[in-house]
Amino acid sequence: MRLLLKGGLVCDDHGTFSPMDIEVTDGIVTGRSASFSENGEYDRVLDLTGLHVFPGLADVHVHLREPGFSYKETIATGTRACARGGYTTVCAMPNLNPAPDTSDHLKMQEDLIRDNACIRVLPYASITMEQKGEGDLTDMAALAGRVCGFSDDGRGVKEEATMRMAMEQCKAAGSIIAAHCEDMSLIPPGGAIHDGAFARTHGIPGIPSESEWGPIARDIALVRETGCPYHVCHVSTKESVALIRKAKAEGLDITCETGPHYLLMCQDDLQDEGRFKMNPPLRDKEDQQALIEGLLDGTIDMIATDHAPHSAEEKSRGLAKSAMGVVGIETAFPLMYTYFVKTGRMTLPQLIDRMSNAPRRRFRLDGGMNIGDRAEITAFDLDAPGVIDPEDFLSMGRATPFAGWEVSARCCLTISGDRIAYDALTQRKEEHC
């Protein structure tokens, strides 16, 4: 298939946007020019006039729920939602049934991805067998070439000795550990939200900040010892930011992510509804501010959604009893653009770096918009006012804390390899008639 993307405002390697045409042939970028002739032999010419065009977004932390939990989400529904959010590559977390802890179990997931995904999906393998966070390790040497990294997301690795061995084997395999840092021994039974004012007022057991930053401190010492590439998932506390900033200054091989909900909300925004319950929880205003500062100064390398769909019933039990996790793959870029770029907190090129380039650099993900790249391209209308409506989502999950928020950016086109994964150009044209 040969495509011509015509007239968009294209982001170059220096973050400058200028009118440019892009030619894509069989999933590879084969040309960039100020103007290609539409008389060429193209299967389709796509008019991107007025749209901002940049490398497809990459999310290193999504839950696509297959195999094992297709009542929450499927590879098909999840990747369609990703494409609508402007994402062209995502890394799928391993809390599945069966967990991808052996070659055969991983193949089950790979087959589902091959048959159903509309964008590129790269799986994680679990760190421990059955993703228990303890006990025997997976055969990292055997699995490393088929996965983007190793994680027990949803569970922290309990014992220091286990994590040390995991880091040693992961480094030898040439891969990276993406750590869910949570010390369950510090969390009371029924811990549901941050251990703060809202928890005390409403009688809900609280999750202390140390349950996150304690394991991070332990693991930083192990990174210093082993030299293993290490990535911290969903950072939420000010102490975590400070620890990671210090580790980076020391030159340790460490990166981290946070999510839009931690940057845009804190415990003051909680309502006693399941759509506000996630793990880690929304924390204090001071934590939120530390995360924002960390994002702006580069301590926090990237933004990841931790897209975690559940059924409506699982999210209908209030804060105390609902399942942990919210969806965010369709709303992440519009929210960050509206409330960080339009407000002047960061520039559009900086946001693109945090949501596309930085994840690719760290997890060695190819693709982009330069000649010879696997085509990973998204086009956004940055002047398209709208309101977040969960009933409009393509994801099976509907639980978002951002329902009703106003945004001013909308994805119009997503190309992942040789596939047009999302196309709302016709709708855009009709709306502007």
Side-chain angles (χ1 to χ4, degrees), residues 60-61 93 124 151 153 178-181 212 216 230-236 255-258 280:
V60 300
H61 195 138
M93 285 299 176
Y124 284 95
S151 181
D153 186 60
H180 174 107
C181 292
E212 173 180 295
I216 293 175
Y230 177 76
H231 178 78
V232 187
C233 296
H234 42 50
V235 170
S236 72
T255 54
C256 68
E257 70 192 45
T258 196

Side-chain angles (χ1 to χ4, degrees), residues 377-396:
I377 302 169
T378 191
F380 270 81
D381 184 343
L382 298 183
D383 190 24
V387 176
I388 292 176
D389 179 3
E391 295 307 311
D392 187 45
F393 289 170
L394 296 182
S395 170
M396 290 168 62

Side-chain angles (χ1 to χ4, degrees), residues 36-344:
F36 280 107
S37 171
E38 295 186 29
N39 296 326
E41 295 181 0
Y42 297 107
D43 295 286
R44 190 171 174 191
V45 177
L46 302 168
D47 181 8
L48 305 187
T49 303
L51 301 181
H52 284 71
V53 183
F54 43 89
L57 306 179
D59 192 339
V60 300
H61 195 138
V62 301
H63 298 268
L64 296 179
R65 302 306 194 196
E66 281 192 312
F69 304 97
S70 57
Y71 72 94
K72 299 174 186 279
E73 186 83 285
T74 66
I75 299 291
T77 61
T79 57
R80 285 199 297 268
C82 292
R84 189 188 194 184
Y87 289 87
T88 52
T89 293
V90 297
C91 300
M93 285 299 176
N95 45 350
L96 305 169
N97 187 19
D101 55 3
T102 67
S103 179
D104 287 345
H105 288 167
L106 178 59
K107 186 177 185 302
M108 294 174 62
Q109 184 183 8
E110 291 171 329
D111 289 346
L112 286 165
I113 291 168
R114 181 198 63 225
D115 294 341
N116 298 289
C118 70
I119 63 167
R120 181 168 59 173
V121 177
L122 303 174
Y124 284 95
S126 59
I127 296 172
T128 58
M129 294 300 294
E130 297 183 43
Q131 202 201 0
K132 290 182 176 180
E134 59 185 341
D136 294 335
L137 299 177
T138 56
D139 187 345
M140 293 185 177
L143 298 177
R146 294 162 58 186
V147 298
C148 60
F150 293 86
S151 181
D152 271 356
D153 186 60
R155 293 186 177 90
V157 175
K158 292 182 180 180
E159 299 297 331
E160 179 177 331
T162 304
M163 182 59 96
R164 179 183 290 105
M165 288 189 294
M167 286 189 180
E168 291 170 347
Q169 293 186 27
C170 185
K171 183 185 179 183
S175 191
I176 185 171
I177 282 180
H180 174 107
C181 292
E182 184 177 25
D183 184 347
M184 294 300 297
S185 71
L186 299 178
I187 300 175
I193 59 175
H194 176 60
D195 185 18
F198 192 99
R200 290 188 291 273
T201 300
H202 292 77
I204 299 174
I207 299 173
S209 295
E210 188 179 356
S211 65
E212 173 180 295
W213 64 256
I216 293 175
R218 177 200 72 182
D219 288 355
I220 286 173
L222 293 175
V223 172
R224 187 180 297 115
E225 177 183 334
T226 65
C228 179
Y230 177 76
H231 178 78
V232 187
C233 296
H234 42 50
V235 170
S236 72
T237 76
K238 60 183 185 290
E239 294 90 351
S240 301
V241 175
L243 285 165
I244 294 166
R245 183 180 288 117
K246 183 177 179 182
K248 286 189 168 193
E250 187 181 336
L252 298 183
D253 191 358
I254 181 171
T255 54
C256 68
E257 70 192 45
T258 196
H261 38 287
Y262 303 118
L263 295 165
L264 293 168
M265 288 183 161
C266 67
Q267 69 161 350
D268 298 345
D269 300 296
L270 286 173
Q271 300 176 33
D272 193 3
E273 300 176 17
R275 66 191 180 95
F276 288 89
K277 185 177 182 181
M278 70 285 289
N279 189 23
L282 297 175
R283 299 198 186 269
D284 285 331
K285 190 71 176 178
E286 292 80 4
D287 296 296
Q288 180 190 8
Q289 186 56 43
L291 293 169
I292 293 170
E293 292 172 1
L295 179 71
L296 298 180
D297 70 17
T299 300
I300 295 175
D301 302 85
M302 63 196 75
I303 296 167
T305 65
D306 193 5
H307 175 77
H310 293 286
S311 70
E313 194 279 329
E314 288 171 321
K315 295 298 288 183
S316 67
R317 308 167 190 161
L319 286 172
K321 296 184 179 180
S322 289
M324 292 278 197
V326 295
V327 297
I329 204 74
E330 294 173 71
T331 60
F333 185 87
L335 284 164
M336 292 302 301
Y337 176 78
T338 303
Y339 295 98
F340 271 75
V341 176
K342 288 196 72 175
T343 59

Side-chain angles (χ1 to χ4, degrees), residues 88 118-120 374-377 414-421:
T88 52
C118 70
I119 63 167
R120 181 168 59 173
R374 180 185 190 272
E376 299 229 344
I377 302 169
T414 303
I415 293 175
S416 182
D418 60 358
R419 179 174 298 183
I420 299 176

